[in-house]
Amino acid sequence: MLNLDKMESNQRRLPVYLLLDTSGSMHGQPIEALRQGVKYLISSLKKEPQAIETAYLSVITFSSTAKQMVPLTDLQSFREPQLDANGTTALGEALKILERCLDTEVKKSTATQKGDYKPLVFILTDGVPTDSWEGPANVIKQKAGKLANIIAVGCGPDVDLNTLKKITEIVLHMESYQPDDFNQFFRWVSASVSMASQKFTADGEKPAQLPPPPPTIQIVP
């Protein structure tokens, strides 16, 4: 199990951010599998009453540039974005957008009101960043890392896992990225969000946990 910190429990939102690599190397089967994975994630979470009540989802994509395709949105209102594969890998720009979103979209606790649960962030990439990523990565790890649970997943043989380790301590490796591998990944994300939404609301004293990843996804020590 992967232990996660959390904020004090109450009826609050669980923000979930997906940072998806849509560079040219994802062309063909991978980008189609990514589209189907997002579709599956939403349909699966809509079957979970606790997730419907608490989970809010955002999608940030990065290729030659990065963009928040979907702002933080409740599951019932969420519409799958159009995902197309082209260009290079602007991971640094995506991390800047993530930092801004965590700062502006996630409600913070005050003296009179409880804020959102600690967000879940899933970063999925299959290559090496092509922009200036070191500064944003350091900011995310030092600042945003304390405000969110960040899981980075590297896909295929060409991904730079050391880069991902500079963003978060929780790094996973999906050595193959055939359609079935993406299917298993999004099933795991769905189970993770569902489990987190239940754990956060069920017990305010215990940290939430993620289920173990599928056999095709290895934890990087």
Side-chain angles (χ1 to χ4, degrees):
M1 306 289 280
L2 298 176
N3 290 322
L4 300 177
D5 296 328
K6 51 96 185 98
M7 298 171 66
E8 187 179 357
S9 177
N10 198 7
Q11 292 299 317
R12 301 174 287 173
R13 303 185 305 174
L14 171 60
V16 180
Y17 288 91
L18 300 179
L19 273 67
L20 305 177
D21 185 340
T22 56
S23 60
S25 58
M26 293 288 289
H27 181 73
Q29 282 191 337
I31 195 66
E32 180 58 31
L34 207 57
R35 296 185 191 116
Q36 295 304 316
V38 173
K39 188 183 297 291
Y40 169 82
L41 175 63
I42 299 305
S43 64
S44 176
L45 291 176
K46 283 183 176 180
K47 299 174 184 176
E48 299 287 341
Q50 196 64 56
I52 291 176
E53 185 177 347
T54 60
Y56 280 63
L57 187 64
S58 173
V59 176
I60 298 170
T61 61
F62 55 99
S63 53
S64 295
T65 60
K67 180 179 181 181
Q68 187 182 29
M69 301 291 287
V70 183
L72 202 60
T73 303
D74 67 273
L75 292 176
Q76 298 288 18
S77 304
F78 186 90
R79 297 295 179 268
E80 295 91 354
Q82 178 62 40
L83 301 177
D84 297 306
N86 55 69
T88 53
T89 311
L91 176 59
E93 188 176 342
L95 295 177
K96 290 180 181 179
I97 293 175
L98 173 64
E99 181 195 3
R100 184 169 68 247
C101 291
L102 292 175
D103 193 42
T104 60
E105 292 185 333
V106 179
K107 297 176 183 177
K108 309 300 189 295
S109 293
T110 66
T112 58
Q113 185 176 1
K114 295 176 181 178
D116 290 331
Y117 298 113
K118 194 172 183 181
L120 288 174
V121 178
F122 296 92
I123 303 173
L124 183 73
T125 182
D126 74 334
V128 178
T130 54
D131 63 349
S132 298
W133 61 272
E134 293 93 340
N138 184 62
V139 170
I140 286 293
K141 192 166 188 179
Q142 298 300 321
K143 177 184 175 183
K146 299 176 182 178
L147 304 176
N149 296 301
I150 302 175
I151 301 96
V153 182
C155 306
D158 298 324
V159 68
D160 187 347
L161 297 174
N162 290 326
T163 293
L164 298 182
K165 274 291 188 179
K166 294 181 180 178
I167 300 172
T168 176
E169 291 299 323
I170 305 177
V171 176
L172 309 177
H173 186 209
M174 186 166 67
E175 188 170 349
S176 171
Y177 56 130
Q178 297 301 312
D180 185 60
D181 298 306
F182 279 104
N183 181 46
Q184 292 189 49
F185 167 71
F186 277 101
R187 287 180 181 274
W188 176 71
V189 172
S190 175
S192 298
V193 174
S194 178
M195 179 177 287
S197 65
Q198 294 176 37
K199 292 289 186 180
F200 280 156
T201 55
D203 195 327
E205 299 301 323
K206 295 181 180 179
Q209 294 179 317
L210 296 186
T216 56
I217 302 178
Q218 303 299 315
I219 299 175
V220 178

